[in-house]
Amino acid sequence: MAELVYRPVVGLAQTLFKAWDLKIDCKGSENIPRSGGAVLVSNHISYLDFIFNGLAALPQKRLVRFMAKESVFRHRISGPLMRGMKHIPVDREQGETAYQHALDSLRSGEIVGVFPEATISQSFTLKSFKSGAARMAQEAGVPLIPMAVWGTQRLWTKGHPRNFKRSHTPITIRVGEALEASRDKYAGALTRQLRERVQELLEAAQRAYPVRPKDATDTWWMPAHLGGTAPTPEQVRAAEAR
């Protein structure tokens, strides 16, 4: 029944992306297994990342069940869609319930999408990773699939108005080789290895990105270390601590 909801939503998203004339460059989809469970792990720079993460799995004929904050499931419009697509609600006060739900999905052969930074990175650099993705992959006996997206922040991100009127916006997606989640490896060490993989993919996506800010007013979407005016990680932490 879930696919009766999921596939039309995917079709609508693809139609909208064509209307916006987004230039989507996705490489590495063959690294997503055609069958069996897996944990798909990505950086997080936009409210739309899960859509593009999901698109990367379509060439392998897979649908991804994403872990998302519980409030999205209570919204009168998004709630029925999220539930219909078998996404997984996360209540931070009852995280064990979401974790078990994700494990059940993995063990039944689903791909579960996780953003281990937990929240959008306003510096557009990688934040520290929580170990939940590694732990659930180990417990379910499934691989970790690292990936990175770039350019999605130009459409809609935290602290900036959404802009769906942009045209020709490039979106770059890179999917890496599977990382075995061995049970005899410490989850913290596996998480660090996973973050390194995602960092490599993020840098590859940034190098491949075909455009740069057009002028001084358009540098907000570039991280400071690449010459942009996005806040540094230190500035973001300072602002959050106030």
Side-chain angles (χ1 to χ4, degrees):
M1 293 296 291
E3 277 58 5
L4 296 178
V5 177
Y6 209 133
R7 295 193 185 281
V9 171
V10 168
L12 175 60
Q14 292 175 317
T15 299
L16 289 173
F17 294 161
K18 287 181 180 178
W20 296 338
D21 195 27
L22 300 184
K23 305 299 183 182
I24 301 175
D25 170 21
C26 180
K27 288 184 172 60
S29 288
E30 68 276 6
N31 291 314
I32 296 174
R34 282 190 172 272
S35 62
V39 180
L40 190 66
V41 176
S42 175
N43 66 317
H44 198 14
I45 54 175
S46 166
Y47 292 113
L48 303 177
D49 289 336
F50 74 98
I51 298 176
F52 294 99
N53 293 161
L55 286 180
L58 292 182
Q60 298 294 84
K61 303 186 185 305
R62 301 303 304 271
L63 299 175
V64 183
R65 317 302 175 178
F66 288 94
M67 301 186 76
K69 61 184 180 180
E70 193 268 342
S71 61
V72 178
F73 291 78
R74 287 189 273 106
H75 190 275
R76 64 185 182 87
I77 296 175
S78 63
L81 293 176
M82 295 293 282
R83 288 189 294 273
M85 291 187 283
K86 285 188 180 178
H87 294 313
I88 301 169
V90 179
D91 182 342
R92 292 182 181 176
E93 294 183 358
Q94 298 180 351
E96 187 58 34
T97 300
Y99 185 85
Q100 188 59 52
H101 187 165
L103 278 180
D104 292 343
S105 295
L106 291 169
R107 288 167 174 159
S108 67
E110 300 280 8
I111 294 180
V112 172
V114 178
F115 297 108
E117 297 169 276
T119 58
I120 288 174
S121 170
Q122 291 180 271
S123 67
F124 308 133
T125 62
L126 280 190
K127 300 166 67 175
S128 61
F129 277 21
K130 297 185 181 301
S131 64
R135 289 188 292 108
M136 71 172 64
Q138 288 177 310
E139 193 167 343
V142 301
L144 291 154
I145 311 295
M147 71 176 299
V149 293
W150 189 248
T152 58
Q153 75 273 33
R154 299 178 66 197
L155 298 174
W156 190 15
T157 192
K158 189 174 182 178
H160 295 274
R162 60 179 177 263
N163 190 346
F164 298 152
K165 294 181 181 179
R166 293 183 186 274
S167 61
H168 316 297
T169 301
I171 304 295
T172 305
I173 306 168
R174 294 292 182 265
V175 184
E177 295 181 358
L179 180 63
E180 182 183 356
S182 174
R183 283 176 175 258
D184 60 5
K185 196 166 189 176
Y186 176 54
L190 183 59
T191 299
R192 287 191 291 273
Q193 185 181 3
L194 178 63
R195 187 181 183 281
E196 289 171 2
R197 292 276 186 92
V198 175
Q199 179 66 42
E200 291 169 359
L201 293 165
L202 177 57
E203 291 173 2
Q206 291 169 335
R207 288 193 299 270
Y209 201 68
V211 301
R212 293 293 180 267
K214 59 181 181 291
D215 55 40
T217 65
D218 190 42
T219 58
W220 65 268
W221 57 272
M222 287 286 280
H225 75 277
L226 293 180
T229 54
T232 65
E234 294 75 20
Q235 288 171 329
V236 173
R237 286 194 292 269
E240 291 174 343
R242 289 175 192 155

